[in-house]
Amino acid sequence: MIYLDANASEPLRPDALAAVHSALMQTGNPSSVHQAGRAARRILEEAREQLAFRFSARPGNLVFTSGATEANALAVHGLRASRRLLIGATEHDSIRASGSEAEIIPVDDSGVVALDSLEAMLGSGPPALVCLMLANNETGVMHPVREVAALCRSHGALLHVDAVQAAGRVPLDLSELGADSLAISSHKLGGPAGAGALLLAPAHADICPLIAGGGQERGRRGGTPAVAAIAGFAAAALAASGGEHLAPLRDSAERAAVARGAVVCGAAAPRLPNTSCVALPGVRADAQVIALDLARIAVSAGAACSSGKVGASHVLRAMGLGPLAGQAIRISLPWNADPAHVDAFGRAYAAMAERLHAALPHDGSREAIMR
Ligand code: PMP
């Protein structure tokens, strides 16, 4: 199987596997006072320090969660209070579902947040909590988050950033971004699933918990932390030192698709080096994913969490892509992508496009669809 679906889950990094294994061998609950408990606590706190160091937060301001879905929900729950909630039109479902009555900040046709609309929204009405992702999971399109943070500050708004897809692939620094909080996820960095974190700016270090309980995480998240997953999370974050080496491979995969009539979504915007979203006019995304799967190539249509459901992606619809929104697949190169795999993708894509295009109607609408 050629795995080109890293944005759903990165392959486990060897350092992460070693850290998980070693932490699993340590019996003990980090809340226990005896030696075994203290040894587990040391693993937990060392991971906290490593992750905080990696993303320039203070260790005490990092709350471990079960993943980024929970970190996003904790941010919205804990920071919102009586604020209006403004969310980007292309946010992940974990943000879209985390707060009621959100106002949607539009994006342009490249998928980049419309700063003038955001400014107008911030200027009209009471203070807001703005949620904007650093990089989109379906297209890789990156928002100008530093500018957004400055706008938020000047309007008394708070900013939460879902940095799940950016972490480890592009530079990421909480204090430099100017955000109030940042969500990251272990399995998107090459660690195991089951761990994530919310990094908080000092002013919000005592965020109100979403899950109360045993007082863990300084009362900010109840429940015994998944120590082994967290150890793997930190090891993966230290090993993930950028995805720039993937950009030429991503470009090569795109060229192969474009040569067969595909359109690259968000091509004009700054994008993650590993992600490409390519639409094949007239051909349903699920048919493309299945055809490539039969050729033993794993890609996805839309977000992984929603790829079971048939329907056009809300991300691509927000970009005004019309019918193409249901005809796009995502290629996301893993940290260990092999150039030979990208070549194999190009060949499989060509065969798939030829076969599925041949199945389109021959009544004149075919040319119109493919134009
Ligand atoms: N945000 C983004 C942008 C994502 O891509 C994902 C995972 N698809 C999440 C949040 C949720 O992360 P997790 O799987 O850790 O809950």
Side-chain angles (χ1 to χ4, degrees), residues 7 67-69 72 92 94 133 135 137 162 164-165 185 187-188 305:
N7 289 12
T69 298
N72 280 335
H92 187 262
S94 56
M133 64 205 327
N137 47 305
D162 173 343
V164 166
Q165 298 291 350
S185 174
H187 71 114
K188 312 284 185 175
C305 330

Side-chain angles (χ1 to χ4, degrees), residues 238-250:
L238 292 185
S241 55
E244 300 76 22
H245 63 290
L246 298 172
L249 295 179
R250 190 264 326 257

